[in-house]
Amino acid sequence: MKVKTKAYAKINLLLDIEGLRTDGYHELFMIMQSVSAADTVTVEKVRGGGIGVTCNVEGIPCDESNIVYKCAREFFRYNRITRYGINIDINKRIPHAAGLAGGSADGAGTLVALNELYGTELSADELCEIGLKVGSDIPFCIVGGTKLAQGRGEVLSKVKPLRKCYIVLAKPEISVSTGKAYAAFDEFGKSRTPDKLGMLCAVQSRDLRAVCDKLDNVFEQFIEVPARVDIKQVMRDNGALGACMSGSGPTVFGIFENKDDAENAAAELKTFVKDVLVTTPVSKGVKICK
Ligand code: C5P
């Protein structure tokens, strides 16, 4: 018996860090959007006990440190299931350590698949509660679509869906540690606060151009990504309505109304950026493949 899921990547249309919390995490205000770049996560019941992890990409740890392993362990604890034997296979397409929540998406895919495989009928809220024990972005990755995310990232509010568009993702070859990125915020602080109200108004009026005018991410103020300026320039030269970094980086995304423009930008970006993908917004975090 196995269940296969598509676990979607996310971008941050806006990301503000509002301060340091007493629990050591940071208080966030983010407008999140799921995009069509996805990993496939397949969970299968197997003979013998325990949790096995396999992955098509070298360098991803397939042990207890993997987010999918931790999510499965928390799922079984929550449901008081003590006898289990599963394998979780991850087929990675989302660039990792990229600011696209690839690992969190895999965790979300695992939880949704396990809920189906074991017939536990947990609600989305319950799955999010389990996911939050493992990572701050997992609740959003379970729910997906377009959301306002606050708190650690788990307090999700419904906002209007983004209009149809094309989103080009360009990930330069450097990796950014999320923990270190937040530590840099603690050290340097921010010099400017994104226009959160302006972005919310733009989102709620479904005005794509206004959304693109308000794209902003405080991490850009203190995380150095040498290729960022050039990537944004190529995106704009090819007709992007706006461009911004996602999460703690280094991925830069550009939003286009026109598919040909997006593809032309992607072709030019591929000459100097390793991972480039043309995506569209999606309304879910995880899809069960039938
Ligand atoms: O929750 P998650 O394990 O994905 O977070 C990775 C790191 O990012 C945390 O160890 C913490 O340093 C930082 N973080 C934070 N505030 C948040 C989310 C993450 O400081 N709201």
Side-chain angles (χ1 to χ4, degrees), residues 95-106:
H96 56 281
L100 298 170
S104 302
D106 297 342

Side-chain angles (χ1 to χ4, degrees), residues 23-98:
D23 61 5
Y25 284 89
H26 292 78
E27 190 66 23
L28 303 176
F29 182 107
M30 307 185 283
I31 305 288
M32 318 269 278
Q33 175 64 55
S34 304
V35 294
S36 57
D39 290 348
T40 307
V41 181
T42 308
V43 184
E44 185 174 14
K45 285 191 184 176
V46 294
R47 280 180 190 276
I51 302 164
V53 179
T54 50
C55 181
N56 66 325
V57 173
E58 259 181 61
I60 303 271
C62 289
D63 56 18
E64 311 87 66
S65 67
N66 194 302
I67 289 179
V68 298
Y69 185 101
K70 293 181 189 170
C71 282
R73 194 176 48 199
E74 292 300 334
F75 174 86
F76 291 126
R77 261 187 207 150
Y78 187 92
N79 288 292
R80 297 196 171 82
I81 297 172
T82 50
R83 292 185 53 180
Y84 50 81
I86 58 160
N87 188 68
I88 308 165
D89 180 61
I90 311 165
N91 196 290
K92 276 224 153 282
R93 299 265 163 70
I94 305 171
H96 56 281

Side-chain angles (χ1 to χ4, degrees), residues 20-21 24-28 30 67 104 132 134-138 151-153 178-180 182-183 186:
L20 183 61
R21 299 159 40 126
Y25 284 89
H26 292 78
E27 190 66 23
L28 303 176
M30 307 185 283
I67 289 179
S104 302
L132 184 62
V134 180
S136 306
D137 276 340
I138 297 179
R152 271 173 63 192
T178 310
K180 283 189 185 148
Y182 281 101
D186 295 337

Side-chain angles (χ1 to χ4, degrees), residues 31 40 55 59-61 63 71 86 100 113 128 134 157 176 207 219 233-234 238 243 261 289:
I31 305 288
T40 307
C55 181
I60 303 271
D63 56 18
C71 282
I86 58 160
L100 298 170
C128 288
V134 180
S157 309
V176 177
D207 182 340
F219 280 119
Q233 194 59 48
V234 168
N238 282 281
D261 289 349
C289 307

